[in-house]
Structure formats: structure tokens, C-alpha cells
């Protein structure tokens, strides 16, 4: 059964959502991310994707205090991303309660650093963030496109031991227009053993069931939850399965 992973995106210590990574499109959903995390935990959620959008924009970890609050006051398994560029950033993330971290831009721009993290901390704690537009990797909070092909990028880190990959179709993120099912099917046909986590575009519970049927291992969703298109009650059958 597909793993359900709500997202909390943080700007200025608040729970927000963007559309297609555009910071100008931010919408604040809650002033208190811990309150949101507690609500999710009470609803049966076990894992949280926490994104430091300030960190992604400034190229170093910023909202680690929010991470620490959620990690110490809930039992949620927190995977944390956004602005992790150096060994010091990673140390701060883990010391403040992250159980896993997601690296995207660093895996593109500093592959030696990312490879060292895999060896040092273990592939089970390091998630590859593969954010793509037209099957090309994008970095730096999606402000920059690279020439890297999505499939080649993932293959390289799979050869180094990475097991979990979060793939976000940037054109769909925050747009509530449905996930990139064809892309995910293609990725799984290419690498059937990949623990693929879909991100971007989820508009309702039916999208999650379609991803499950396609063999996707996990799904990150945020805006649909905050806009009431998905409720925790709707998720209950999947959580109890």
C-alpha cells in the first residue's frame, strides 16, 4: 500500500504552499506548523515531509527550530529538505530531529558531498530529490534548470546505493491538476525496484489511488489537504490497510 506523506512547507516559520515553486505565490495556511503536525499525527499519519523554503532560497538551513519542535513533540518520522548544502547543514538537521534528509540541488552541484553523505549516514537516511521539468532536473528552489536528464541522474545515485527518490513534476506542483502518472510509470518500468515517492499535482483522493495502482511507493501531498480536497477521514482506509 502506498505510503502517505503530507508536506509542511515553511517560510518565516509558517506553514505555506507555493505554486510551481514561485515564492510570490505563497499562501499561508497556518502560523503554527507544530499545530499542523499534531493534527496529522492525531489523524493517523506516520511520516512528514518538512521543507525549509527559506533554506532553499538562501542555500543553507534556516528553519531548524521548526524541525526540532515537530521532532520532539510528535512521533512523526520527519524527512527534511531545503537548503542542505554542507556537512554542517546536515549535522544541524539530524541533531534537530530529522530521521531522513532530502538532497536535490546538492546532488547536482556538489555530487562528491552528496555521495559522502550516503556513505557516512547510510542510504536509508539520505533521499534523492529529483525535481524535474520536461525530464530535466531543476535546482535551487526550482529557479535554475540543469542539462541533466532525470533518468540518468537517478541511475547514477541508484548505483551509489540510494533507494528512495522523491520526484516532483514542477509544472504540476501546487496546481491541483493531477500527478505525473505517465512519468512515474515510465520511471518504474525503467527501474522496478525503485522506492519512488510522487510529489506534485495531487488534487484529490482518487489521484492517490491511481498512484497506488501504478505501483508508486509513496506520495507527498500538501495543497489538496490544506484546501480540503483531501481529508484525514478520506485517508483512513489507506492508513489502516
Amino acid at each position: 500500500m502506498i505510503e502517505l506523506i503530507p508536506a509542511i512547507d515553511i517560510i518565516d516559520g509558517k506553514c505555506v504552499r507555493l505554486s510551481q515553486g514561485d515564492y510570490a505565490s505563497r499562501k499561508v495556511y497556518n502560523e503554527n506548523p507544530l499545530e499542523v503536525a499534531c493534527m496529522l499525527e492525531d489523524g493517523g499519519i506516520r511520516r512528514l515531509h518538512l521543507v525549509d523554503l527559506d533554506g532553499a532560497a538562501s542555500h543553507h538551513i534556516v528553519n531548524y527550530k521548526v524541525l526540532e519542535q515537530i521532532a520532539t513533540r510528535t512521533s512523526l518520522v520527519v524527512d527534511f529538505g531545503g537548503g542542505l548544502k554542507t556537512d554542517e547543514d546536515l549535522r544541524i538537521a539530524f541533531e534537530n530531529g530529522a530521521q531522513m534528509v532530502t538532497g536535490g540541488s546538492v546532488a547536482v552541484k556538489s555530487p562528491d558531498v552528496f555521495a559522502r553523505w550516503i556513505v557516512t549516514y547510510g542510504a536509508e537516511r539520505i533521499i534523492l530529490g529529483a525535481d524535474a521539468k520536461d525530464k530535466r532536473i531543476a535546482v535551487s528552489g526550482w529557479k535554475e534548470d540543469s542539462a541533466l536528464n532525470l533518468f540518468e541522474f537517478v541511475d547514477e545515485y541508484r548505483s551509489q546505493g540510494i533507494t528512495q527518490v522523491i520526484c516532483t513534476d514542477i509544472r504540476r506542483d501546487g496546481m491541483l491538476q493531477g500527478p505525473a502518472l505517465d512519468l512515474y510509470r515510465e520511471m518504474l518500468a525503467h527501474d522496478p525496484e525503485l522506492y519512488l515517492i510522487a510529489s506534485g499535482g495531487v488534487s484529490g483522493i482518487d489521484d492517490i489511488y491511481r498512484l497506488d495502482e501504478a505501483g508508486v511507493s509513496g506520495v507527498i501531498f500538501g495543497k489538496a489537504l490544506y484546501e480540503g480536497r483531501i481529508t484525514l477521514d478520506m485517508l483512513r482506509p489507506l492508513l489502516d490497510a
Side-chain angles (χ1 to χ4, degrees), residues 56-112:
S58 58
H59 309 295
H60 63 85
I61 191 169
V62 174
N63 286 295
Y64 56 88
K65 290 299 183 184
V66 175
L67 166 63
E68 190 270 340
Q69 283 186 325
I70 292 173
T72 57
R73 297 178 66 179
T74 76
S75 62
L76 294 167
V77 173
V78 180
D79 77 67
F80 182 82
L84 301 176
K85 300 291 186 290
T86 66
D87 293 346
E88 179 68 4
D89 289 327
L90 207 65
R91 181 191 66 78
I92 292 169
F94 283 134
E95 286 188 356
N96 282 277
Q99 287 162 279
M100 295 175 280
V101 298
T102 300
S105 297
V106 64
V108 176
K109 295 189 169 186
S110 303
D112 292 345

Short mmCIF file of all heavy atoms in Angstrom, two decimals, residues 56-112:
data_model
loop_
_atom_site.label_atom_id
_atom_site.label_comp_id
_atom_site.label_asym_id
_atom_site.label_seq_id
_atom_site.Cartn_x
_atom_site.Cartn_y
_atom_site.Cartn_z
N ALA A 56 15.96 26.74 1.11
CA ALA A 56 16.16 26.50 -0.32
C ALA A 56 16.54 27.79 -1.04
O ALA A 56 17.37 27.79 -1.96
CB ALA A 56 14.89 25.91 -0.94
N ALA A 57 15.95 28.91 -0.61
CA ALA A 57 16.23 30.20 -1.26
C ALA A 57 17.57 30.77 -0.85
O ALA A 57 18.23 31.46 -1.63
CB ALA A 57 15.11 31.19 -0.95
N SER A 58 18.00 30.49 0.39
CA SER A 58 19.21 31.11 0.91
C SER A 58 20.42 30.17 0.91
O SER A 58 21.52 30.57 1.29
CB SER A 58 18.98 31.62 2.33
OG SER A 58 18.57 30.58 3.19
N HIS A 59 20.20 28.91 0.48
CA HIS A 59 21.29 27.94 0.29
C HIS A 59 21.94 27.49 1.59
O HIS A 59 23.10 27.10 1.61
CB HIS A 59 22.34 28.48 -0.68
CG HIS A 59 21.77 28.97 -1.98
ND1 HIS A 59 21.14 28.13 -2.88
CD2 HIS A 59 21.71 30.22 -2.51
CE1 HIS A 59 20.73 28.84 -3.92
NE2 HIS A 59 21.04 30.11 -3.70
N HIS A 60 21.19 27.55 2.68
CA HIS A 60 21.65 26.95 3.94
C HIS A 60 20.43 26.74 4.82
O HIS A 60 19.41 27.40 4.65
CB HIS A 60 22.69 27.82 4.64
CG HIS A 60 22.18 29.16 5.07
ND1 HIS A 60 21.52 29.38 6.26
CD2 HIS A 60 22.21 30.37 4.43
CE1 HIS A 60 21.17 30.65 6.35
NE2 HIS A 60 21.57 31.28 5.26
N ILE A 61 20.53 25.83 5.75
CA ILE A 61 19.39 25.51 6.61
C ILE A 61 18.99 26.74 7.43
O ILE A 61 19.83 27.48 7.92
CB ILE A 61 19.74 24.31 7.51
CG1 ILE A 61 18.49 23.79 8.23
CG2 ILE A 61 20.85 24.66 8.50
CD1 ILE A 61 18.72 22.44 8.92
N VAL A 62 17.67 26.98 7.53
CA VAL A 62 17.16 28.15 8.24
C VAL A 62 16.16 27.75 9.33
O VAL A 62 16.32 28.12 10.49
CB VAL A 62 16.48 29.14 7.26
CG1 VAL A 62 15.82 30.29 8.02
CG2 VAL A 62 17.50 29.68 6.24
N ASN A 63 15.16 26.98 8.96
CA ASN A 63 14.05 26.71 9.88
C ASN A 63 14.25 25.44 10.71
O ASN A 63 13.32 24.64 10.89
CB ASN A 63 12.74 26.65 9.10
CG ASN A 63 12.27 28.02 8.66
OD1 ASN A 63 11.94 28.87 9.48
ND2 ASN A 63 12.27 28.25 7.35
N TYR A 64 15.44 25.27 11.27
CA TYR A 64 15.72 24.06 12.04
C TYR A 64 14.98 24.04 13.38
O TYR A 64 14.75 22.97 13.95
CB TYR A 64 17.22 23.86 12.23
CG TYR A 64 17.95 25.00 12.88
CD1 TYR A 64 18.06 25.09 14.26
CD2 TYR A 64 18.54 26.00 12.10
CE1 TYR A 64 18.73 26.14 14.85
CE2 TYR A 64 19.21 27.05 12.67
CZ TYR A 64 19.30 27.13 14.05
OH TYR A 64 19.97 28.17 14.64
N LYS A 65 14.60 25.21 13.88
CA LYS A 65 13.85 25.25 15.13
C LYS A 65 12.45 24.65 14.96
O LYS A 65 11.90 24.02 15.87
CB LYS A 65 13.75 26.68 15.67
CG LYS A 65 15.07 27.24 16.18
CD LYS A 65 15.61 26.42 17.35
CE LYS A 65 16.87 27.03 17.91
NZ LYS A 65 17.45 26.18 19.00
N VAL A 66 11.85 24.88 13.79
CA VAL A 66 10.55 24.25 13.49
C VAL A 66 10.72 22.74 13.45
O VAL A 66 9.90 21.99 13.98
CB VAL A 66 9.98 24.78 12.16
CG1 VAL A 66 8.70 24.04 11.80
CG2 VAL A 66 9.73 26.28 12.24
N LEU A 67 11.78 22.28 12.79
CA LEU A 67 12.10 20.86 12.75
C LEU A 67 12.22 20.30 14.16
O LEU A 67 11.63 19.25 14.48
CB LEU A 67 13.39 20.64 11.96
CG LEU A 67 14.06 19.27 12.09
CD1 LEU A 67 13.16 18.18 11.54
CD2 LEU A 67 15.40 19.27 11.35
N GLU A 68 12.96 20.97 15.01
CA GLU A 68 13.18 20.50 16.37
C GLU A 68 11.87 20.40 17.15
O GLU A 68 11.64 19.42 17.88
CB GLU A 68 14.17 21.45 17.08
CG GLU A 68 14.68 20.95 18.42
CD GLU A 68 13.82 21.39 19.58
OE1 GLU A 68 13.07 22.37 19.44
OE2 GLU A 68 13.88 20.73 20.64
N GLN A 69 11.01 21.39 16.99
CA GLN A 69 9.72 21.36 17.68
C GLN A 69 8.89 20.16 17.27
O GLN A 69 8.33 19.45 18.11
CB GLN A 69 8.93 22.64 17.38
CG GLN A 69 9.39 23.87 18.12
CD GLN A 69 8.44 25.04 17.85
OE1 GLN A 69 7.90 25.20 16.75
NE2 GLN A 69 8.24 25.88 18.85
N ILE A 70 8.79 19.94 15.97
CA ILE A 70 7.97 18.83 15.47
C ILE A 70 8.58 17.48 15.85
O ILE A 70 7.87 16.55 16.25
CB ILE A 70 7.79 18.95 13.94
CG1 ILE A 70 6.93 20.18 13.61
CG2 ILE A 70 7.18 17.68 13.36
CD1 ILE A 70 6.82 20.50 12.13
N ALA A 71 9.90 17.37 15.75
CA ALA A 71 10.56 16.10 16.05
C ALA A 71 10.46 15.73 17.52
O ALA A 71 10.36 14.54 17.86
CB ALA A 71 12.02 16.17 15.61
N THR A 72 10.49 16.71 18.40
CA THR A 72 10.46 16.41 19.84
C THR A 72 9.05 16.33 20.40
O THR A 72 8.86 15.71 21.46
CB THR A 72 11.26 17.48 20.63
OG1 THR A 72 10.72 18.78 20.38
CG2 THR A 72 12.73 17.44 20.26
N ARG A 73 8.08 16.90 19.72
CA ARG A 73 6.73 16.95 20.30
C ARG A 73 5.71 16.10 19.53
O ARG A 73 4.53 16.09 19.86
CB ARG A 73 6.26 18.41 20.38
CG ARG A 73 7.16 19.21 21.35
CD ARG A 73 6.78 20.66 21.45
NE ARG A 73 5.47 20.84 22.07
CZ ARG A 73 4.91 22.03 22.29
NH1 ARG A 73 5.56 23.14 21.92
NH2 ARG A 73 3.73 22.13 22.84
N THR A 74 6.19 15.37 18.53
CA THR A 74 5.37 14.36 17.85
C THR A 74 6.22 13.11 17.66
O THR A 74 7.43 13.14 17.83
CB THR A 74 4.85 14.82 16.47
OG1 THR A 74 5.92 14.76 15.51
CG2 THR A 74 4.29 16.23 16.52
N SER A 75 5.57 12.02 17.25
CA SER A 75 6.30 10.79 16.94
C SER A 75 6.44 10.60 15.43
O SER A 75 6.81 9.52 14.98
CB SER A 75 5.57 9.59 17.57
OG SER A 75 4.27 9.45 17.01
N LEU A 76 6.14 11.64 14.67
CA LEU A 76 6.22 11.54 13.22
C LEU A 76 7.66 11.28 12.77
O LEU A 76 8.61 11.85 13.31
CB LEU A 76 5.72 12.84 12.57
CG LEU A 76 4.24 13.16 12.74
CD1 LEU A 76 3.97 14.60 12.34
CD2 LEU A 76 3.38 12.20 11.93
N VAL A 77 7.79 10.44 11.77
CA VAL A 77 9.08 10.27 11.09
C VAL A 77 9.22 11.45 10.14
O VAL A 77 8.42 11.61 9.21
CB VAL A 77 9.12 8.94 10.31
CG1 VAL A 77 10.40 8.86 9.47
CG2 VAL A 77 9.03 7.76 11.27
N VAL A 78 10.22 12.29 10.37
CA VAL A 78 10.37 13.52 9.59
C VAL A 78 11.50 13.38 8.59
O VAL A 78 12.64 13.10 8.97
CB VAL A 78 10.64 14.73 10.51
CG1 VAL A 78 10.78 16.00 9.67
CG2 VAL A 78 9.53 14.90 11.54
N ASP A 79 11.16 13.54 7.31
CA ASP A 79 12.23 13.74 6.34
C ASP A 79 12.27 15.22 5.99
O ASP A 79 11.23 15.85 5.78
CB ASP A 79 12.09 12.82 5.12
CG ASP A 79 11.03 13.23 4.11
OD1 ASP A 79 11.21 14.26 3.47
OD2 ASP A 79 10.04 12.49 3.96
N PHE A 80 13.46 15.76 6.00
CA PHE A 80 13.66 17.21 5.96
C PHE A 80 14.47 17.59 4.74
O PHE A 80 15.46 16.94 4.40
CB PHE A 80 14.39 17.64 7.23
CG PHE A 80 14.61 19.13 7.35
CD1 PHE A 80 13.62 19.96 7.82
CD2 PHE A 80 15.84 19.68 7.00
CE1 PHE A 80 13.83 21.34 7.94
CE2 PHE A 80 16.06 21.05 7.11
CZ PHE A 80 15.05 21.88 7.59
N GLY A 81 14.06 18.66 4.07
CA GLY A 81 14.81 19.14 2.92
C GLY A 81 14.71 20.65 2.79
O GLY A 81 13.90 21.29 3.46
N GLY A 82 15.55 21.18 1.91
CA GLY A 82 15.55 22.62 1.67
C GLY A 82 16.80 23.28 2.21
O GLY A 82 16.94 23.43 3.43
N GLY A 83 17.72 23.63 1.34
CA GLY A 83 18.90 24.38 1.75
C GLY A 83 20.03 23.56 2.33
O GLY A 83 20.98 24.13 2.86
N LEU A 84 19.94 22.24 2.24
CA LEU A 84 21.02 21.40 2.77
C LEU A 84 22.15 21.34 1.75
O LEU A 84 22.04 20.67 0.73
CB LEU A 84 20.49 20.00 3.08
CG LEU A 84 19.34 19.94 4.08
CD1 LEU A 84 18.84 18.52 4.23
CD2 LEU A 84 19.77 20.50 5.43
N LYS A 85 23.23 22.04 2.04
CA LYS A 85 24.33 22.14 1.08
C LYS A 85 25.66 21.67 1.63
O LYS A 85 26.55 21.30 0.88
CB LYS A 85 24.49 23.60 0.61
CG LYS A 85 23.26 24.18 -0.08
CD LYS A 85 23.02 23.53 -1.43
CE LYS A 85 21.88 24.20 -2.20
NZ LYS A 85 20.56 23.96 -1.62
N THR A 86 25.83 21.70 2.95
CA THR A 86 27.12 21.40 3.56
C THR A 86 26.98 20.34 4.64
O THR A 86 25.88 20.02 5.10
CB THR A 86 27.72 22.66 4.20
OG1 THR A 86 26.89 23.06 5.32
CG2 THR A 86 27.80 23.81 3.19
N ASP A 87 28.12 19.82 5.07
CA ASP A 87 28.12 18.86 6.16
C ASP A 87 27.52 19.47 7.43
O ASP A 87 26.84 18.80 8.19
CB ASP A 87 29.55 18.40 6.44
CG ASP A 87 30.15 17.58 5.31
OD1 ASP A 87 29.39 17.13 4.42
OD2 ASP A 87 31.38 17.39 5.30
N GLU A 88 27.76 20.76 7.63
CA GLU A 88 27.22 21.45 8.80
C GLU A 88 25.69 21.53 8.73
O GLU A 88 25.00 21.32 9.75
CB GLU A 88 27.82 22.85 8.91
CG GLU A 88 27.30 23.68 10.08
CD GLU A 88 27.72 23.16 11.45
OE1 GLU A 88 28.49 22.19 11.52
OE2 GLU A 88 27.26 23.74 12.45
N ASP A 89 25.15 21.81 7.55
CA ASP A 89 23.69 21.80 7.39
C ASP A 89 23.11 20.45 7.76
O ASP A 89 22.08 20.35 8.45
CB ASP A 89 23.31 22.12 5.93
CG ASP A 89 23.56 23.56 5.54
OD1 ASP A 89 23.42 24.45 6.39
OD2 ASP A 89 23.88 23.80 4.35
N LEU A 90 23.77 19.40 7.29
CA LEU A 90 23.27 18.05 7.56
C LEU A 90 23.35 17.73 9.05
O LEU A 90 22.42 17.15 9.62
CB LEU A 90 24.07 17.04 6.75
CG LEU A 90 23.32 15.75 6.40
CD1 LEU A 90 22.16 16.05 5.47
CD2 LEU A 90 24.25 14.73 5.77
N ARG A 91 24.44 18.12 9.68
CA ARG A 91 24.59 17.90 11.12
C ARG A 91 23.46 18.59 11.89
O ARG A 91 22.86 17.99 12.79
CB ARG A 91 25.95 18.43 11.58
CG ARG A 91 26.21 18.20 13.08
CD ARG A 91 27.43 18.96 13.56
NE ARG A 91 27.24 20.41 13.51
CZ ARG A 91 26.54 21.11 14.39
NH1 ARG A 91 25.93 20.51 15.40
NH2 ARG A 91 26.43 22.43 14.28
N ILE A 92 23.16 19.83 11.53
CA ILE A 92 22.11 20.58 12.20
C ILE A 92 20.76 19.88 12.01
O ILE A 92 19.96 19.75 12.95
CB ILE A 92 22.05 22.03 11.67
CG1 ILE A 92 23.30 22.79 12.10
CG2 ILE A 92 20.80 22.75 12.18
CD1 ILE A 92 23.46 24.14 11.42
N ALA A 93 20.49 19.42 10.79
CA ALA A 93 19.22 18.74 10.51
C ALA A 93 19.06 17.49 11.36
O ALA A 93 18.02 17.28 12.01
CB ALA A 93 19.11 18.40 9.03
N PHE A 94 20.07 16.65 11.38
CA PHE A 94 19.98 15.42 12.16
C PHE A 94 19.95 15.69 13.66
O PHE A 94 19.20 15.04 14.40
CB PHE A 94 21.13 14.47 11.81
CG PHE A 94 20.94 13.75 10.50
CD1 PHE A 94 21.97 13.66 9.58
CD2 PHE A 94 19.73 13.15 10.19
CE1 PHE A 94 21.80 12.98 8.38
CE2 PHE A 94 19.54 12.46 8.99
CZ PHE A 94 20.59 12.38 8.08
N GLU A 95 20.73 16.66 14.13
CA GLU A 95 20.73 16.97 15.56
C GLU A 95 19.41 17.56 16.03
O GLU A 95 19.07 17.47 17.21
CB GLU A 95 21.88 17.94 15.89
CG GLU A 95 23.24 17.27 15.88
CD GLU A 95 24.35 18.18 16.40
OE1 GLU A 95 24.06 19.36 16.70
OE2 GLU A 95 25.49 17.71 16.49
N ASN A 96 18.65 18.15 15.11
CA ASN A 96 17.36 18.72 15.47
C ASN A 96 16.19 17.79 15.16
O ASN A 96 15.05 18.22 15.21
CB ASN A 96 17.17 20.07 14.78
CG ASN A 96 17.94 21.17 15.48
OD1 ASN A 96 17.48 21.74 16.45
ND2 ASN A 96 19.15 21.46 14.99
N GLY A 97 16.50 16.53 14.89
CA GLY A 97 15.45 15.52 14.86
C GLY A 97 15.06 14.93 13.53
O GLY A 97 14.18 14.06 13.49
N ALA A 98 15.65 15.38 12.43
CA ALA A 98 15.34 14.74 11.15
C ALA A 98 15.79 13.28 11.19
O ALA A 98 16.89 12.98 11.65
CB ALA A 98 16.03 15.48 10.01
N GLN A 99 14.94 12.40 10.73
CA GLN A 99 15.33 10.99 10.64
C GLN A 99 15.83 10.64 9.24
O GLN A 99 16.57 9.67 9.08
CB GLN A 99 14.15 10.11 11.05
CG GLN A 99 13.92 10.17 12.56
CD GLN A 99 12.56 9.68 12.97
OE1 GLN A 99 11.58 10.41 12.90
NE2 GLN A 99 12.49 8.44 13.40
N MET A 100 15.42 11.45 8.29
CA MET A 100 15.92 11.34 6.92
C MET A 100 16.06 12.76 6.37
O MET A 100 15.39 13.68 6.86
CB MET A 100 14.96 10.54 6.03
CG MET A 100 14.82 9.08 6.42
SD MET A 100 13.56 8.23 5.41
CE MET A 100 12.06 8.76 6.24
N VAL A 101 16.91 12.94 5.39
CA VAL A 101 17.02 14.23 4.72
C VAL A 101 16.91 14.02 3.22
O VAL A 101 17.27 12.97 2.69
CB VAL A 101 18.34 14.96 5.05
CG1 VAL A 101 18.43 15.28 6.53
CG2 VAL A 101 19.55 14.16 4.58
N THR A 102 16.42 15.04 2.55
CA THR A 102 16.30 15.02 1.09
C THR A 102 17.27 16.03 0.50
O THR A 102 17.28 17.20 0.88
CB THR A 102 14.87 15.37 0.65
OG1 THR A 102 13.97 14.42 1.21
CG2 THR A 102 14.75 15.33 -0.87
N GLY A 103 18.09 15.56 -0.43
CA GLY A 103 19.02 16.44 -1.13
C GLY A 103 18.73 16.45 -2.61
O GLY A 103 18.64 15.39 -3.23
N GLY A 104 18.56 17.65 -3.15
CA GLY A 104 18.31 17.78 -4.58
C GLY A 104 19.40 18.59 -5.25
O GLY A 104 20.22 18.06 -6.00
N SER A 105 19.43 19.89 -4.96
CA SER A 105 20.42 20.77 -5.58
C SER A 105 21.84 20.32 -5.26
O SER A 105 22.72 20.35 -6.12
CB SER A 105 20.22 22.22 -5.11
OG SER A 105 18.95 22.71 -5.51
N VAL A 106 22.07 19.89 -4.02
CA VAL A 106 23.42 19.47 -3.64
C VAL A 106 23.86 18.25 -4.43
O VAL A 106 25.05 18.10 -4.76
CB VAL A 106 23.50 19.21 -2.12
CG1 VAL A 106 22.61 18.04 -1.71
CG2 VAL A 106 24.93 18.99 -1.68
N ALA A 107 22.91 17.38 -4.77
CA ALA A 107 23.26 16.19 -5.55
C ALA A 107 23.66 16.55 -6.98
O ALA A 107 24.39 15.80 -7.63
CB ALA A 107 22.08 15.22 -5.57
N VAL A 108 23.20 17.71 -7.45
CA VAL A 108 23.55 18.18 -8.79
C VAL A 108 24.85 18.98 -8.75
O VAL A 108 25.77 18.74 -9.54
CB VAL A 108 22.43 19.07 -9.37
CG1 VAL A 108 22.84 19.65 -10.72
CG2 VAL A 108 21.14 18.27 -9.51
N LYS A 109 24.92 19.92 -7.81
CA LYS A 109 26.03 20.88 -7.82
C LYS A 109 27.26 20.40 -7.04
O LYS A 109 28.37 20.86 -7.32
CB LYS A 109 25.54 22.22 -7.25
CG LYS A 109 24.48 22.87 -8.11
CD LYS A 109 24.18 24.28 -7.63
CE LYS A 109 23.33 25.03 -8.65
NZ LYS A 109 23.13 26.45 -8.28
N SER A 110 27.04 19.53 -6.07
CA SER A 110 28.16 19.03 -5.26
C SER A 110 28.04 17.52 -5.12
O SER A 110 27.83 17.00 -4.01
CB SER A 110 28.17 19.70 -3.88
OG SER A 110 28.23 21.10 -3.99
N PRO A 111 28.16 16.79 -6.21
CA PRO A 111 27.94 15.35 -6.16
C PRO A 111 28.88 14.61 -5.22
O PRO A 111 28.49 13.60 -4.61
CB PRO A 111 28.14 14.89 -7.61
CG PRO A 111 28.89 16.00 -8.27
CD PRO A 111 28.47 17.25 -7.58
N ASP A 112 30.11 15.12 -5.04
CA ASP A 112 31.03 14.48 -4.12
C ASP A 112 30.53 14.59 -2.67
O ASP A 112 30.66 13.64 -1.89
CB ASP A 112 32.43 15.11 -4.22
CG ASP A 112 33.11 14.82 -5.54
OD1 ASP A 112 32.63 13.90 -6.25
OD2 ASP A 112 34.09 15.49 -5.88
#
